[in-house]
Amino acid sequence: RKRNMDIIEKMLKNDPNNAFMLYNMGVEYSAKGDYSEALNYLNKAYKNFNPTAGFGSKLILKMISCNEYLNNLDECLKLIEIGEKYYPACTEYEFCKANIFYKKQKYLSAIESAKKCISMGESPVLLREVSGVGTYKAYYLLGIIAYNIGDYEDTYDYLNKALKMNSKLTDALFKISDILFKNNTDIKQIQNQLESYFDTIDEDTAFLLSKIFYQQNKFGVAYYYINKIEESIENTQKISFYKGIYLYYLKNYTAALENLYKVTDKEYLNTATYCGILCALFTEKYEEVDNLISIAKNFDEPE
């Protein structure tokens, strides 16, 4: 970022009204999370707006994005109207509108815009800033709106469509599993459905599925998925930690303790130690309880 900004700054010294360089500087500040300063540059770039410039559509979209982060939602709607005027085929503007209406809790308007995104499809390549706004992202947004208003049937339908297009929508997986459990769906059927969204059950997927079932207190299924993962060098600690936690909830305290003892990584150590204390206590290994408590006393957690 610094290298880019230094180059842009030099160019702006020679040509302070260069709209493309002003836009680029705005993009850099936006990437750093300084949205107010980003808007300073983007607004300057917009003063001499040329809709035929190759970056014209992206400039307005970036202005909308920064204003959204700053919660200037009405300003976003004004910019969307301008964007739609110059680039009517760009689905991103309709998608931005759907999100703004959603944030303003104008759910009917948000639903209308999200459905329009689906009918429009993806933006033409030259206008495309992000992918998915005419497909899975629109279905996902519809699913979230339906979930918020308690319409779980529509939630399921929309999120199911979104996940069939993109299985990496983690929040959608958790929400759709929640609905399946609410409907008392057979556990094996839930497993089959969640697995159907993935081509293969790799390590990351197995971790994700284990967490979904853990959240629903289905510890046996959670353990099944974590146990499927080969103990790669990178994730040995993580695997041992989750095996220990799941075995603890399955009341297999001896096996849980064996796994928890393998955990030394700071990310998992505290929780592993506390859980280990309980496992040792429940199996009446009081000397181990004392040892683990002495370790826990070194943690900077007074509670």
Side-chain angles (χ1 to χ4, degrees):
R1 297 290 168 200
K2 185 178 184 307
R3 181 205 61 192
N4 291 351
M5 292 170 89
D6 286 345
I7 293 168
I8 296 166
E9 194 171 353
K10 284 177 184 175
M11 298 186 79
L12 285 172
K13 276 183 180 177
N14 296 327
D15 185 6
N17 295 317
N18 186 317
F20 185 52
M21 286 301 122
L22 289 166
Y23 160 73
N24 286 330
M25 190 65 100
V27 170
E28 294 299 330
Y29 273 108
S30 175
K32 287 177 66 178
D34 189 344
Y35 304 112
S36 294
E37 190 60 18
L39 275 173
N40 285 337
Y41 283 95
L42 296 171
N43 287 332
K44 286 177 187 176
Y46 183 70
K47 278 183 181 177
N48 298 312
F49 180 67
N50 179 3
T52 62
F55 65 97
S57 178
K58 293 183 178 183
L59 168 60
I60 297 175
L61 286 168
K62 187 58 70 177
M63 292 169 74
I64 294 166
S65 171
C66 290
N67 275 292
E68 187 175 353
Y69 276 115
L70 295 170
N71 209 35
N72 301 328
L73 302 185
D74 289 334
E75 182 63 24
C76 290
L77 291 173
K78 290 176 187 175
L79 288 164
I80 289 166
E81 194 175 330
I82 293 167
E84 288 180 326
K85 174 187 169 185
Y86 289 113
Y87 312 102
C90 183
T91 312
E92 273 92 324
Y93 291 112
E94 195 64 46
F95 186 72
C96 288
K97 192 191 293 182
N99 273 295
I100 299 302
F101 284 141
Y102 170 63
K103 285 191 171 184
K104 289 169 78 74
Q105 297 186 336
K106 294 184 176 181
Y107 294 136
L108 289 176
S109 296
I111 290 167
E112 186 181 335
S113 284
K115 287 182 175 179
K116 187 175 177 183
C117 289
I118 294 164
S119 66
M120 289 175 73
E122 295 295 289
S123 300
V125 174
L126 293 176
L127 294 176
R128 192 176 303 166
E129 178 75 350
V130 292
S131 296
V133 295
T135 52
Y136 67 89
K137 287 181 179 175
Y139 279 117
Y140 173 72
L141 180 58
L142 285 167
I144 296 303
I145 294 168
Y147 189 87
N148 283 355
I149 61 178
D151 186 345
Y152 298 126
E153 190 175 332
D154 274 356
T155 302
Y156 175 85
D157 289 340
Y158 289 134
L159 294 184
N160 185 44
K161 286 174 181 173
L163 284 164
K164 283 179 178 177
M165 296 173 184
N166 185 348
S167 61
K168 293 180 181 179
L169 298 168
T170 304
D171 183 57
L173 281 165
F174 276 93
K175 280 189 168 57
I176 208 165
S177 65
D178 190 43
I179 290 165
L180 290 168
F181 277 105
K182 274 184 169 72
N183 292 337
N184 296 315
T185 309
D186 176 73
I187 193 83
K188 194 64 186 173
Q189 192 177 334
I190 296 173
Q191 279 184 262
N192 290 338
Q193 176 154 348
L194 295 182
E195 287 184 16
S196 73
Y197 297 124
F198 303 93
D199 295 327
T200 56
I201 307 300
D202 60 16
E203 192 170 295
D204 289 338
T205 305
F207 270 124
L208 176 59
L209 291 171
S210 78
K211 287 180 181 178
I212 288 171
F213 285 96
Y214 168 66
Q215 185 172 286
Q216 296 292 339
N217 295 333
K218 303 299 179 185
F219 306 115
V221 184
Y223 183 77
Y224 162 78
Y225 283 111
I226 210 75
N227 203 41
K228 283 179 68 132
I229 302 170
E230 292 184 16
E231 297 200 6
S232 60
I233 295 170
E234 294 83 3
N235 281 317
T236 301
Q237 296 275 321
K238 189 176 178 182
I239 293 166
S240 296
F241 172 73
Y242 281 107
K243 276 187 177 180
I245 296 296
Y246 298 156
L247 286 164
Y248 164 77
Y249 281 109
L250 289 167
K251 301 184 180 180
N252 189 342
Y253 303 122
T254 301
L257 197 55
E258 286 175 10
N259 280 280
L260 294 169
Y261 271 142
K262 296 175 186 176
V263 178
T264 56
D265 191 305
K266 286 184 179 179
E267 185 178 352
Y268 309 108
L269 181 60
N270 292 22
T271 304
T273 304
Y274 301 143
C275 193
I277 290 168
L278 295 174
C279 290
L281 187 64
F282 297 156
T283 51
E284 300 182 4
K285 297 174 181 174
Y286 300 119
E287 192 173 327
E288 292 184 45
V289 172
D290 290 338
N291 290 336
L292 288 165
I293 286 175
S294 66
I295 292 170
K297 282 179 179 177
N298 293 319
F299 301 153
D300 187 21
E301 294 183 350
E303 66 274 18

